Amino acid sequence: MRVVNSLVERCFAVVELLANEASAMRLGEIAEKLDLQKSAAHRMLNVLCEMGWVEQEPVTGFYKLTLRLAILGQRFLSATHLTDVCQPVLEELAAESAELVRMAVVQGETLTWIAQVQGARNGLKYQPEMVAKVRLASTANGRAYLSTLNPTDAIRIAINGSDVGGKQSIVPVEEFMEELKLARSRGWAISNEEAELGVVAIAAPIKLGDGRTVGTVSVAGPSSRLTALRHDEIASAVLSTADKLGELWPLRERVS
């Protein structure tokens, strides 16, 4: 059983790495990032290629995901009706704020982007690439989510993400704890050009009636438009939207 579990874990690790990178990678790079011997990584990739999850580019020999994972993800979202139910609410916030609105869902101890609506009608438009995972410590969505957790768990998760406290830290632990405390007290979090230069985002957690956090919703845009004078206005709209999403959340009864 140990060997089987190890094989499964390694295969999923390869899939997750390729999904996060969203580009073709060479065998040596995959082995290095997953701390595997090249021979072991090669076996994993061969298995995944045979199963149709990964493909090898004929010219470069690099490996990349097939569309199978994306197709299954779309099938799952369609089955839960998550985006169908939430989309009109997100569109309403996008129209009101005239900025980019995004929603993420909690998966384990992290967040995954699943929807976005562009509300900017003219001028600069903030349109980031929809990568899978949300960076927790530096983004408004991540901070909004972490603010709902036990402080010890929040710091542990942030440190494991290398954004806080470690050698690659971008935020001192004490400062980060104060930021989470403030977000917890007012119900929303902000990232003021900390995740991306020139971009401000304000986010709130989406909670069910029993207090559990299932996701986050945010408004983000150029700092030239989302000035300090608009922060309270945007925060109020984001909080209202988070409440609506919590009431409409299509997975609520299943989770309960």
Side-chain angles (χ1 to χ4, degrees):
M1 282 303 282
R2 289 181 186 175
V3 175
V4 174
N5 286 337
S6 177
L7 176 63
V8 171
E9 290 170 359
R10 289 180 178 181
C11 283
F12 273 109
V14 171
V15 170
E16 186 174 2
L17 174 64
L18 293 175
N20 288 338
E21 295 295 331
S23 61
M25 299 177 66
R26 57 183 176 82
L27 173 61
E29 186 180 6
I30 294 171
E32 181 181 352
K33 291 197 173 186
L34 295 179
D35 195 24
L36 294 173
Q37 293 184 350
K38 279 189 177 182
S39 57
H42 189 252
R43 285 196 297 272
M44 299 301 107
L45 289 163
N46 281 341
V47 170
L48 290 169
C49 285
E50 291 174 2
M51 295 175 63
W53 292 98
V54 173
E55 61 184 1
Q56 187 176 20
E57 293 183 342
V59 176
T60 64
F62 287 15
Y63 294 88
K64 64 181 180 180
L65 286 183
T66 64
L67 292 178
R68 185 174 182 181
L69 183 63
I71 292 170
L72 287 179
Q74 288 296 324
R75 287 179 183 172
F76 172 75
L77 285 178
S78 177
T80 63
H81 303 290
L82 188 58
T83 52
D84 293 342
V85 174
C86 297
Q87 191 71 15
V89 181
L90 300 178
E91 291 175 354
E92 182 180 333
L93 178 59
E96 180 181 353
S97 65
E99 299 293 354
L100 179 71
V101 170
R102 292 198 285 180
M103 184 174 74
V105 295
V106 175
Q107 290 192 312
E109 292 188 335
T110 189
L111 289 172
T112 300
W113 297 115
I114 65 164
Q116 68 177 33
V117 180
Q118 180 58 262
R121 293 177 284 275
N122 47 53
L124 290 173
K125 291 185 179 181
Y126 174 54
Q127 194 73 36
E129 182 181 355
M130 277 288 281
V131 297
K133 285 187 178 180
V134 179
R135 286 182 291 146
L136 297 182
S138 59
T139 64
N141 286 272
R143 292 174 177 180
Y145 162 61
L146 292 174
S147 71
T148 67
L149 304 179
N150 177 288
T152 302
D153 290 334
I155 293 299
R156 172 181 57 79
I157 294 170
I159 289 176
N160 287 342
S162 298
D163 282 345
V164 173
K167 291 182 179 179
Q168 299 177 341
S169 172
I170 61 173
V171 181
V173 172
E174 296 77 10
E175 181 181 328
F176 185 68
M177 290 178 67
E178 286 300 316
E179 184 67 33
L180 292 188
K181 183 178 179 181
L182 179 59
R184 192 177 300 113
S185 65
R186 65 190 178 190
W188 55 274
I190 186 170
S191 175
N192 196 343
E193 299 194 68
E194 292 154 293
E196 294 181 68
L197 188 64
V199 175
V200 174
I202 292 175
I206 302 168
K207 296 183 178 181
L208 302 187
D210 59 9
R212 280 175 296 153
T213 300
V214 291
T216 59
V217 60
S218 66
V219 167
S223 56
S224 58
R225 284 202 302 265
L226 287 184
T227 63
L229 294 176
R230 293 192 67 197
H231 289 178
D232 287 342
E233 166 203 342
I234 295 296
S236 177
V238 171
L239 285 169
S240 177
T241 298
D243 287 341
K244 292 178 184 178
L245 292 171
E247 293 173 0
L248 293 173
W249 199 260
L251 296 181
R252 181 173 180 175
E253 292 184 0
R254 294 188 187 182
V255 174
S256 299

